[in-house]
Amino acid sequence: MANLKSLAKDTAIYGMSSILGKFLNYLLVPLYTASFSAESGGYGVVTHIYAFVALLQVLLIYGMETGFFRFANKKDENPTLVYSSILISIGCTSLLFLLLCLSFLTPIASTLGYADNPEFIGMMAVVLALDAFQSIPFAYLRYKQRPIKFASIKLFSIAFGIALNLFFLIACPWLHTHYPETISWFYDPAYGVGYVFVANLITSAAQMFFFIPELTGFTYRFDKELMKRIFRYSFPLLILGVVGILNQTIDKIIFPFIFPDEKEADIQLGIYGASTKIAMVMAMFTQAFRYAYEPFVFGKNKEGDNRQVYATVMKFFIIFALFGFLAVMFYIDILKYVLRDPHYWVGLKVVPIVMAAELFMGIYFNLSFWYKLIDETRWGAWFSLIGCVVIVTLNVLFVPVYGYVACAWAGLTGYALITLISYVMGQKKYPINYDLKSIGIYVLLAVVLYVLSLGFVPENIILRLLFRTALLAIYILYIVKKDLPLSQIPFLNRFIKKP
């Protein structure tokens, strides 16, 4: 129980930075959807470029985060040497990537469809190099169990980025209208979506200063033999990560190339990208859980077999992930106003599909530790490759006919399939006794409640929300009754009189 409390504490702190940060980023969704109308396709440009960014970021980190945790926690390894060697490796490869991108900027931009604005690609290349390098100091903070500093840096960077977006997309247009002479030396109203990338570049550069303590105070050493071992361990994770992120972004990357109408592709991609932001709650929870769970698992593995702990964690992950799903779907009538332009609302039909896919992604992440703990990471690469093939195939076959709806269903199908395969193989290689009966009851309850919410839809929004709130209360009461008595919650325990 102490182990779970520690994990819960760290998850709460990482979750604060992740959930609060993502919530703050919600401010950008109404800002972008108000600044770039659905018909303009401007948000489609943002969605498309950031899909490439997500993929390249995984490539530039090449599994070194997990490799760092694995080797820094080994009894016969020097954690400082592991940290130093990985920093040097990531730093060199990030610099090489940046130089190559800047040297071939024009042909790269033309290939991606941004020949008129190659600086978009240049700015994001700098951002990618900085973020890849900074991922290792962030991992070091997690290893040293310093979630407060981790969260503080994340939140500051998010707040600063939002402030810059507000400045470029709201303040500058107002100043240009009323006092043009004050900003005419740097601001061009026709540049539009380009300022999204300018804000990101400034934010990533500013974030670097926070890592000065983590980048100084020790001797930089590169152990060639150590890095060979780390790379052998991490290379399958690189394949896993690349294919994994492809599973999440490939639909957005290839959409403009497979949808028959080029202009309509930007519009649909913008609608799809904006609508999936509503499903961000599930992604926030999964990310917060991942930040705390990865160092937790490798740290506990040094103490011996903790399979029962892993089984319990899986159960509670699913319980709270289902709660997040129900909460979003029950209050979608309110959340949809995050998308300021009502023309985006047509895409809300994909939200439950995307959230279900995110749920499977979280379960798959939980399952993935069986091959990491027995150092057979190649299995993860194979699973993700299978998922990628399924997702790409379904996108190519059905996107030209059904548009972005096919993207959502392809993602759900791919992740559900590899989750099932990973579970079956994991039970053979590293069996864990998951409480499938209890998990199944929670899934069934969530499905029944969701179906009831769809079957009774009063015209009056107040009645609709009250009914759905009652359904959510049923789920919460079941959790309290079966697995989380109020007396076990430290804060509430103070107010509950024991007999």
Side-chain angles (χ1 to χ4, degrees), residues 305-464:
D305 197 318
N306 283 277
R307 301 189 200 200
Q308 188 54 49
V309 174
Y310 304 151
T312 303
V313 169
M314 170 70 89
K315 175 181 173 181
F316 279 100
F317 171 83
I318 294 175
I319 288 173
F320 288 107
L322 289 172
F323 172 79
F325 174 87
L326 292 175
V328 170
M329 297 316 305
F330 287 172
Y331 298 107
I332 193 73
D333 291 320
I334 297 174
L335 293 174
K336 70 180 182 181
Y337 289 99
V338 170
L339 311 180
R340 298 302 299 165
D341 184 351
H343 289 96
Y344 285 100
W345 294 355
V346 67
L348 294 177
K349 57 180 172 285
V350 303
V351 173
I353 308 169
V354 174
M355 289 201 70
E358 291 281 357
L359 172 60
F360 277 108
M361 286 169 60
I363 297 172
Y364 177 67
F365 171 77
N366 272 271
L367 293 171
S368 71
F369 279 97
W370 71 259
Y371 54 76
K372 294 179 183 178
L373 290 173
I374 62 174
D375 292 346
E376 293 190 18
T377 49
R378 67 182 184 279
W379 287 104
W382 282 112
F383 298 152
S384 292
L385 184 60
I386 291 171
C388 188
V389 170
V390 170
I391 291 172
V392 171
T393 301
L394 293 177
N395 271 278
V396 172
L397 289 176
F398 297 111
V399 161
V401 180
Y402 299 103
Y404 60 85
V405 176
C407 296
W409 279 110
L412 174 58
T413 304
Y415 270 102
L417 177 62
I418 62 175
T419 297
L420 177 61
I421 296 173
S422 181
Y423 171 77
V424 172
M425 289 302 302
Q427 292 303 100
K428 295 179 179 179
K429 294 279 188 176
Y430 190 83
I432 296 176
N433 186 26
Y434 295 110
D435 188 356
L436 296 182
K437 179 180 178 181
S438 182
I439 291 173
I441 292 173
Y442 274 106
V443 171
L444 179 61
L445 176 61
V447 169
V448 170
L449 294 175
Y450 177 57
V451 171
L452 286 175
S453 74
L454 297 177
F456 181 70
V457 188
E459 288 291 330
N460 187 297
I461 188 172
I462 302 298
L463 290 177
R464 189 157 66 245

Side-chain angles (χ1 to χ4, degrees), residues 117-380:
N117 296 102
E119 73 280 5
F120 289 1
I121 308 304
M123 285 188 285
M124 296 316 296
V126 177
V127 169
L128 275 164
L130 288 171
D131 288 354
F133 182 73
Q134 292 168 11
S135 69
I136 304 305
F138 268 127
Y140 185 72
L141 290 174
R142 292 160 60 195
Y143 166 74
K144 298 295 287 185
Q145 295 185 332
R146 299 187 61 191
I148 299 296
K149 181 169 183 178
F150 180 99
S152 299
I153 296 174
K154 288 285 188 181
L155 290 176
F156 173 82
S157 297
I158 291 168
F160 185 52
I162 290 172
L164 288 173
N165 274 275
L166 292 172
F167 173 71
F168 286 121
L169 299 182
I170 293 182
C172 284
W174 186 87
L175 288 170
H176 183 265
T177 300
H178 297 87
Y179 307 100
E181 68 282 356
T182 61
I183 60 170
S184 58
W185 59 278
F186 73 87
Y187 177 73
D188 178 6
Y191 199 53
V193 72
Y195 288 113
V196 173
F197 308 118
V198 172
N200 197 336
L201 175 62
I202 296 172
T203 301
S204 292
Q207 183 173 267
M208 195 73 187
F209 292 98
F210 290 96
F211 293 115
I212 292 175
E214 283 68 44
L215 298 173
T216 57
F218 61 93
T219 302
Y220 279 83
R221 292 172 53 204
F222 184 82
D223 189 316
K224 187 176 179 180
E225 292 303 316
L226 171 64
M227 280 306 302
K228 284 182 179 179
R229 287 187 284 118
I230 294 176
F231 189 75
R232 277 196 298 268
Y233 174 83
S234 299
F235 182 73
L237 295 179
L238 166 62
I239 305 302
L240 185 157
V242 169
V243 180
I245 201 66
L246 274 174
N247 291 346
Q248 300 176 48
T249 61
I250 191 64
D251 51 355
K252 303 175 184 68
I253 290 174
I254 67 175
F255 194 94
F257 302 106
I258 61 177
F259 196 77
D261 187 325
E262 183 178 344
K263 178 61 178 176
E264 182 65 19
D266 283 340
I267 295 173
Q268 287 216 17
L269 188 56
I271 292 172
Y272 178 56
S275 299
T276 56
K277 294 298 182 183
I278 303 294
M280 196 181 291
V281 169
M282 192 71 75
M284 287 187 280
F285 176 69
T286 302
Q287 185 182 51
F289 181 83
R290 175 180 178 273
Y291 281 148
Y293 196 46
E294 195 164 46
F296 170 83
V297 168
F298 286 121
K300 297 309 296 178
N301 191 52
K302 293 191 297 184
E303 301 175 6
D305 197 318
N306 283 277
R307 301 189 200 200
Q308 188 54 49
V309 174
Y310 304 151
T312 303
V313 169
M314 170 70 89
K315 175 181 173 181
F316 279 100
F317 171 83
I318 294 175
I319 288 173
F320 288 107
L322 289 172
F323 172 79
F325 174 87
L326 292 175
V328 170
M329 297 316 305
F330 287 172
Y331 298 107
I332 193 73
D333 291 320
I334 297 174
L335 293 174
K336 70 180 182 181
Y337 289 99
V338 170
L339 311 180
R340 298 302 299 165
D341 184 351
H343 289 96
Y344 285 100
W345 294 355
V346 67
L348 294 177
K349 57 180 172 285
V350 303
V351 173
I353 308 169
V354 174
M355 289 201 70
E358 291 281 357
L359 172 60
F360 277 108
M361 286 169 60
I363 297 172
Y364 177 67
F365 171 77
N366 272 271
L367 293 171
S368 71
F369 279 97
W370 71 259
Y371 54 76
K372 294 179 183 178
L373 290 173
I374 62 174
D375 292 346
E376 293 190 18
T377 49
R378 67 182 184 279
W379 287 104

